[in-house]
Amino acid sequence: MKTTLHTALCIAIRIGAVLLALDALERVASLLTIGEADPHRFFGAMLFSALYLGVAVVLWLWPGMLAWWASSRASNEVFVSYLAGYDWQRIALAVVGVWLAVTGLSGCLGHGLLMVFLGERMRDYSTGLLPTTEWYWLIHYSVQTVAGAAILLGSSGLVSLLARIRRYPAVTAIEEPDGQGRG
């Protein structure tokens, strides 16, 4: 596979634009559901979310300007990769799995420590129990860690599943390195 630095940077910039847009839409949704008592803070938060969304749209439509600025002289340098498409897909799924596992593990540790400190302070109150929302977040981070580990360890199987889905009407045997098909 041949590509240039400019093309790789454009892809990375568009991925960043999608993440920025999703973050902006998530903020708007949380602002609308939670609501804000102070209308000035609500308007300011909505204005910043609209600004984020605007930047994401500009980056999606014109990623070449930023890519050219980042790589000016080396933008036409050609990269050659001898990996097949399914190898890139397996690597991408493994990276997503690692990202989810590390994010979930850090959330578990951080929230677990918060629960320990909060639990010691709650002993003085009448119930002495942690709120159920604290347990919800601990379960959320635990599931995220397990899902990330499953994606990381099962990336090869997911790639073959996606290959089968793409060729659904005419599923053929996927060749293994030893030449025997499974299917």
Side-chain angles (χ1 to χ4, degrees), residues 112-161:
L113 285 174
L114 178 74
M115 288 177 66
V116 167
F117 292 134
L118 192 61
E120 289 180 9
R121 294 219 172 173
M122 293 294 288
R123 288 183 189 164
D124 297 338
Y125 294 102
S126 62
T127 60
L129 299 174
L130 290 172
T132 53
T133 56
E134 301 301 323
W135 291 103
Y136 164 79
W137 284 109
L138 190 65
I139 292 169
H140 170 80
Y141 289 129
S142 300
V143 168
Q144 185 176 1
T145 303
V146 170
I151 291 172
L152 171 65
L153 297 174
S155 61
S156 296
L158 287 172
V159 168
S160 65
L161 176 68

Side-chain angles (χ1 to χ4, degrees), residues 53-119:
L53 195 57
V55 169
V57 167
V58 167
L59 287 176
W60 179 263
L61 293 177
W62 298 288
M65 293 187 309
L66 186 59
W68 175 81
W69 181 70
S71 68
S72 62
R73 289 185 221 159
S75 63
N76 292 328
E77 184 177 329
V78 177
F79 295 117
V80 178
S81 173
Y82 299 105
L83 294 176
Y86 60 86
D87 289 329
W88 283 106
Q89 197 171 21
R90 185 176 47 83
I91 292 168
L93 285 171
V95 167
V96 168
V98 167
W99 176 65
L100 282 173
V102 168
T103 303
L105 187 62
S106 67
C108 277
L109 293 176
H111 206 73
L113 285 174
L114 178 74
M115 288 177 66
V116 167
F117 292 134
L118 192 61

